[in-house]
Structure formats: C-alpha cells, structure tokens
Amino acid sequence: MSDFSIFDGHNDLLSCLWAEKSFDGAAFFSGRDGDLDLAKCRAGGFAGGFFAVWVSGEPGTGPDPMATYREFPAIDAVRAERQTLEQIAILLRMERVRPDAIRLCRSVAEIAAARAAGAIAAILHIEGVEGIAANLDALHVLYAAGLRSLGPVWSRSNIFGHGVPFNFPASPDTGPGLTEAGLRLVRECDALGVLLDLSHLNEAGFWDVARVSGKPLVATHSNAHAVTASTRNLTDKQLAAIKDSAGLVGLNYGCAFIRQDGIKNPATGPEDMLRHLDHLLAHLGEDGVALGSDFDGTMIPNFISDASGLPKLTAALEAHYGAALTQKLCWSNWQGLLARVIG
C-alpha cells in the first residue's frame, strides 16, 4: 500500500475553532474533539486544502446541527463581517505561531513550498459571503489578506444569490439565479484570480456563473445527483459544463450526500464513495475529480472517522483505481486546477 499526501477541497475547521472559542487556534495544535487537528492531519497525510470561513451562531454555541431544513434565515451583514474577520484572524495567528505546521498559501508555488517544509498548505476560502457588501470593497481587502476562493452563497439566500436547501430526494433547481450584485462578484473574482465555488449554489445560479465566468467551473465539495438525489449534488448536465470548462469536482464525504438512500448514517462504507467517484470520473475524466471532505462540517463515515483515518480511504482508492489515478485524486488534480485559476 502506498502513502498519499492529500490536498482537500473543503473543511470547516476555522468556523469550529471560532465556535469553540479557540481564537488563537491553539486547540488545533494541542488536540481537539473534531475531525482536524495537527496530530490527526499528520497521521492521515492531510497536507493541505481549502480552509473555510462560515458565519453561524455566537462563540460557544457550537456548529449548526445541520438537521433537515427548508429555509435558512438571513445573516445580519454587520455580524457577518465581524465573524468573517475573526475567523480569518484565527488562521493568521496559527500561521504566525507555527509556520512549521500550517501556512496560508496564495499560489500553487506557495503550496509546493509549504509541502516541502512539512507544513499544511491552507487556501483561505469563504463559504457564503455575507461579510462582503455589494460594492465589493471588502473583496479587494480580503484578497490582499490572502483570500483565494469563495462560494457566493451557502445554503441560504444573500444579496448575491440563492443557495440550495438540504433536501432529498429533490432537484437543485430551487429558485432564481444570481442577482446583479452576484454577477458583478463573479466578474470581479475572475479579474482577481479568486476561485468561485459552486457547491452550495442553486442550479440557476450555477448556470449564471457558467455564462458569465471565463474560468474553470469548480464545486469544491459536491457529488453526483444521479447517484444520490440530494439538492447538494450535481446533475449530469452540470457535470458536462464543468468538464467543458476544464473544471473540477471535489468529492464530499458527507454521509447524506453519498449514500443512495440519502440518510445521514455514519455506517457508510467506501463503496458509497467509490460509486460517486466512478460516476464523476466517467463524466469529468481523470483530471476533473478530486477530494473535498467537508471535515468538521458534516457527518463523516465511521470507517474514516476523522483526518487520521484517511489512509483507509486512500487504500480503497488505490485498490479500485491504482496508484497513479489515486495520486491525481488526492493531490495533483487540485494543483492543476489551482494553477489555472489562482496561479
């Protein structure tokens, strides 16, 4: 069995550290009851990925339980801006204290340098940009601070567009497309070199991005709707558009998004993940698929449990696909995509 380094499309560590009141990120280094900490990452080969900022409740309330929802309340813009900055500050403090362990990366070259130094390579991502106003001034400030990826919406509406609820079985075609502010956001992200994540965007919004953006279409943590008919998953028509743009989909490990019955049940095996990967590879090709765990943001299958269990997943991938394709799924496909978008 080979050892594989993993670059991951999505985790919610920063939001969880914020909710846990670990504002200096110390819990990541000392150990925490969650999917990601330094020891678990090193044990599992988790070497980099997209670290998301997500606005939710107040510190100490814990992450949202993510039961079945039909409609999410809007987030106050002032509170969203404050929480966005507070969560980004956690990553900056972590890097300042332990650059040997984690580094904020703004380019593929910086990811390679972090990997060579044995540090986790972190791409700063915002999931649902309620903290950015329609004038987009904050986008430019955050870009200067290191932001290189964002999802215009989470699974709730904001001034830019409309997210999909967590429904099964259901279509992702759940409402109108991007607003005028959302279209401006897409164009400005293209100009800056900020990746646009389509994972929580409804289908009309997806097609608006496809129409306006000149960059590869990317869903950092989504799966195949044909396999699991969740609103969070992508239709074959959407997959065809992603392939045509030389884009990429990162496999979400969330049990409810990969099980064919759509049930949130941790007794979910590698065969469920391989079923989605087979479908994604058939529609996107070997360069268009990667991993997007959603660690610390969703229910992870028991056979993985947390980042330390990633070798169990890579063993299943290698047995099914061979070492060369497994390496592409785990690392190099994300590097190729990021080179095409952020440089």
Side-chain angles (χ1 to χ4, degrees):
M1 185 176 70
S2 306
D3 291 327
F4 296 96
S5 294
I6 291 177
F7 194 91
D8 183 74
H10 189 86
N11 73 72
D12 286 293
L13 172 70
L14 298 178
S15 301
C16 288
L17 289 172
W18 183 88
E20 295 160 13
K21 298 188 177 182
S22 182
F23 300 121
D24 58 0
F28 176 76
F29 303 116
S30 61
R32 54 183 292 271
D33 184 18
D35 295 334
L36 296 178
D37 61 34
L38 183 58
K40 291 169 185 169
C41 289
R42 287 182 168 166
F46 185 101
F50 292 68
F51 283 65
V53 168
W54 177 66
V55 174
S56 58
E58 291 298 327
T61 61
D64 194 292
M66 298 303 295
T68 299
Y69 292 94
R70 294 296 181 268
E71 189 69 33
F72 290 95
I75 294 291
D76 175 74
V78 174
R79 178 162 66 89
E81 181 181 26
R82 172 176 60 82
Q83 290 186 19
T84 296
L85 295 178
E86 288 173 352
Q87 291 180 32
I88 292 172
I90 293 173
L91 179 58
L92 297 176
R93 293 187 191 104
M94 290 166 67
E95 179 186 39
R96 185 173 67 247
V97 172
R98 290 289 305 275
D100 64 306
I102 190 166
R103 298 184 184 180
L104 173 60
C105 296
R106 298 165 175 82
S107 66
V108 172
E110 290 186 3
I111 292 172
R115 187 186 189 193
I120 295 168
I123 293 290
L124 178 59
H125 171 81
I126 298 178
E127 184 175 38
V129 289
E130 285 88 357
I132 295 177
N135 61 24
L136 304 183
D137 290 348
L139 174 65
H140 291 268
V141 173
L142 293 172
Y143 180 84
L147 179 70
R148 290 298 181 271
S149 175
L150 62 81
V153 298
W154 181 67
S155 289
R156 60 189 169 218
S157 298
N158 62 25
I159 63 171
F160 299 109
H162 305 275
V164 290
F166 295 85
N167 293 341
F168 174 92
S171 166
D173 186 10
T174 58
L178 297 180
T179 65
E180 285 302 316
L183 296 173
R184 291 196 304 272
L185 176 68
V186 171
R187 296 185 182 101
E188 204 67 15
C189 285
D190 271 14
L192 287 170
V194 173
L195 183 149
L196 282 159
D197 178 21
L198 306 174
S199 291
H200 283 269
L201 194 59
N202 69 357
E203 189 170 0
F206 175 100
W207 294 115
D208 281 341
V209 174
R211 174 173 56 85
V212 172
S213 176
K215 298 290 186 177
L217 300 174
V218 181
T220 64
H221 57 303
S222 291
N223 301 328
H225 192 271
V227 179
T228 302
S230 167
T231 48
R232 276 282 286 106
N233 291 339
L234 298 159
T235 67
D236 287 353
K237 185 177 179 182
Q238 288 174 303
L239 295 179
I242 292 171
K243 178 178 174 59
D244 288 345
S245 74
L248 183 145
V249 175
L251 179 80
N252 189 316
Y253 302 176
C255 297
F257 307 138
I258 57 176
R259 293 174 61 92
Q260 288 180 296
D261 59 13
I263 295 174
K264 197 173 183 180
N265 180 351
T268 300
E271 65 278 2
D272 293 297
M273 306 178 83
L274 293 172
R275 191 178 295 112
H276 277 274
L277 286 170
D278 285 346
H279 190 91
L280 293 173
L281 286 163
H283 285 264
L284 297 169
E286 292 190 0
D287 295 330
V289 185
L291 302 178
S293 67
D294 211 350
F295 276 141
D296 278 317
T298 193
M299 179 184 285
I300 302 296
N302 279 343
F303 87 93
I304 300 174
S305 183
D306 57 42
S308 67
L310 285 168
K312 298 174 185 177
L313 173 60
T314 57
L317 296 180
E318 186 177 15
H320 193 67
Y321 297 119
L325 180 51
T326 298
Q327 194 278 334
K328 295 177 78 170
L329 295 171
C330 290
W331 187 270
S332 60
N333 281 352
W334 268 126
Q335 304 314 303
L337 183 283
L338 288 168
R340 296 193 293 275
V341 179
I342 72 170

